[in-house]
Amino acid sequence: MDSDHELRVLIVEDDPLTAEAHADFVRRVPGFSVAGIGLSGAEALATFDALAAAGTPADIVLLDMNLTDSHGLEVAGRMNSRGLGADIIAITAVRHLQVIKSAISVGVTQYLIKPFTFAAFREKLENQRAFRLNLTDGGPLVTQASVDNALRALRSATPGRLPKGLIEETLTAVSSEVRAADTPVSATEVGRRLDLSRVTVRRYLEHLVDTGQVLKQPRHGTPGRPEYEYRWV
């Protein structure tokens, strides 16, 4: 999978208004599209199979746990039994520890508890993209580094309280750009992609450096003032 590949998202949620709200969120995140919506377990599985049969399988499934006709754990298990390689993110109000443990055991990679902000939602999607990129960039065999990077990608990019003046949503966007880049990027380059000023982007990049998530180094061979480039650890 290359970094420009658009990921198809299947939304499984029994409340139509909530399902459409999640669909709107997906459409707001660059690089992701809504492949379909399932309002029940049966409808979700039928849509999941239909997408695969059409040659456009879902890459990511956003799965509620409490469905009208089945439990999300059952749906997740049946989807994974197809062997299509879809990643499943649980989006639910269920907080029971046993359910969370069971979700992990049936292949759920991330767990987002309702209610949540758009920034938290976007971060889960971006983390999943980075996870997939790390595990597919090197061919059929992976290295220890790619495994470590993939698992690290699923962790939150915003540990602890943010410094004054930094916004979580902007930090998520900057983090995602650096993480998805094939080569180190400068503040100017990230700012151009996000329509932000170089000064603003650099503040976020320096925060990521301070928290050990990004490495900073001088960019050699650039005329004029010294420029730094950043890469995800």
Side-chain angles (χ1 to χ4, degrees):
M1 187 188 87
D2 60 70
S3 58
D4 295 327
H5 172 67
E6 188 173 71
L7 295 181
R8 296 177 292 271
V9 181
L10 172 60
I11 298 165
V12 184
E13 166 63 57
D14 62 5
D15 180 74
L17 291 179
T18 301
E20 189 52 44
H22 292 172
D24 286 341
F25 273 10
V26 171
R27 297 184 188 107
R28 289 174 59 187
V29 184
F32 297 84
S33 64
V34 178
I37 294 176
L39 298 178
S40 67
E43 185 178 339
L45 289 167
T47 304
F48 186 79
D49 291 339
L51 289 169
T56 56
D59 298 301
I60 296 174
V61 178
L62 305 182
L63 179 62
D64 191 16
M65 289 290 105
N66 291 328
L67 301 171
T68 54
D69 60 346
S70 57
H71 197 282
L73 294 176
E74 178 187 353
V75 175
R78 294 177 67 180
M79 285 182 172
N80 279 321
S81 71
R82 267 64 162 173
L84 297 175
D87 294 334
I88 300 176
I89 302 176
I91 296 187
T92 178
V94 177
R95 298 168 178 262
H96 300 301
L97 178 60
Q98 189 54 52
V99 173
I100 295 173
K101 288 181 177 179
S102 298
I104 295 171
S105 71
V106 296
V108 171
T109 57
Q110 298 191 82
Y111 202 98
L112 182 59
I113 297 176
K114 300 175 183 177
F116 49 82
T117 64
F118 170 69
F121 181 92
R122 174 172 180 159
E123 184 178 44
K124 294 299 182 186
L125 289 187
E126 296 287 4
N127 286 353
Q128 205 66 49
R129 171 183 285 281
F131 175 80
R132 293 174 69 91
L133 282 170
N134 275 292
L135 290 184
T136 56
D137 276 354
L141 299 178
V142 299
T143 65
Q144 182 65 54
S146 64
V147 173
D148 291 344
N149 287 336
L151 295 176
R152 187 181 297 117
L154 295 178
R155 297 205 300 262
S156 170
T158 56
R161 188 173 181 178
L162 290 181
K164 184 177 180 180
L166 298 190
I167 302 171
E168 181 181 345
E169 184 170 344
T170 305
L171 180 60
T172 299
V174 172
S175 300
S176 299
E177 286 295 331
V178 180
R179 188 160 45 197
D182 295 328
T183 58
V185 290
S186 68
T188 301
E189 292 163 344
V190 174
R192 189 179 302 121
R193 296 171 189 173
L194 297 177
D195 196 23
L196 296 171
S197 72
R198 173 182 174 275
V199 173
T200 297
V201 171
R202 187 166 182 179
R203 290 183 59 213
Y204 287 91
L205 290 171
E206 292 297 326
H207 171 70
L208 292 170
V209 171
D210 292 342
T211 56
Q213 297 169 87
V214 164
L215 290 180
K216 171 185 175 183
Q217 61 189 30
R219 174 169 285 182
H220 300 291
T222 54
R225 63 186 179 188
E227 188 170 24
Y228 291 94
E229 59 184 19
Y230 304 81
R231 69 175 178 85
W232 199 260
V233 176

